């Protein structure tokens, strides 16, 4: 019974790297096939995100001004908005 009422909130695109040509195509296909499931926030490849765990810190503690930290703040706001719609808060 634990977690029996869980449902999918959305797909998060991580390690997104638009320097690779295939990335744009993959993102486009995912957004076309799952328009309501793919979250708007994308977490792009970021060196600071890769470094933070090796220092035992979250990205917000390690480098709160990095683009990776901003992406996770944006994700938190997006999830808050989605949850308001789901639970009517």
């Amino acid at each position: 019974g634990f977690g029996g009422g869980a449902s999918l909130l959305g797909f998060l695109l991580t390690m997104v790297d638009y320097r690779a040509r295939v990335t744009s195509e993959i993102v486009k296909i995912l957004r076309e096939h799952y328009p309501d499931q793919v979250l708007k926030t994308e977490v792009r490849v970021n060196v600071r995100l890769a470094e933070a765990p090796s220092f035992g810190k979250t990205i917000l503690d390690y480098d709160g001004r990095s683009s990776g930290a901003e992406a996770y703040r944006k994700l938190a706001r997006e999830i808050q908005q989605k949850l308001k719609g789901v639970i009517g808060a």
Side-chain angles (χ1 to χ4, degrees):
F2 182 74
S7 63
L8 178 69
L9 188 61
F11 298 113
L12 174 62
L13 304 180
T14 62
M15 299 192 68
V16 176
D17 187 353
Y18 284 104
R19 294 173 295 183
R21 276 190 262 165
V22 70
T23 300
S24 293
E25 189 62 29
I26 291 169
V27 170
K28 180 182 173 190
I29 290 168
L30 287 170
R31 292 194 183 282
E32 285 174 356
H33 282 73
Y34 306 100
D36 298 325
Q37 289 86 16
V38 178
L39 297 170
K40 291 180 180 117
T41 302
E42 295 177 2
V43 180
R44 296 184 181 200
V45 170
N46 180 273
V47 172
R48 305 306 268 174
L49 281 172
E51 292 172 344
S54 65
F55 288 91
K57 295 184 176 185
T58 68
I59 187 60
L60 299 174
D61 292 330
Y62 182 65
D63 186 351
R65 291 200 254 167
S66 68
S67 60
E70 180 52 38
Y72 279 102
R73 278 192 290 276
K74 183 178 175 187
L75 174 63
R77 289 188 298 268
E78 184 176 356
I79 289 173
Q80 277 183 317
Q81 289 300 324
K82 284 184 90 61
L83 288 175
K84 282 181 183 178
V86 171
I87 60 176

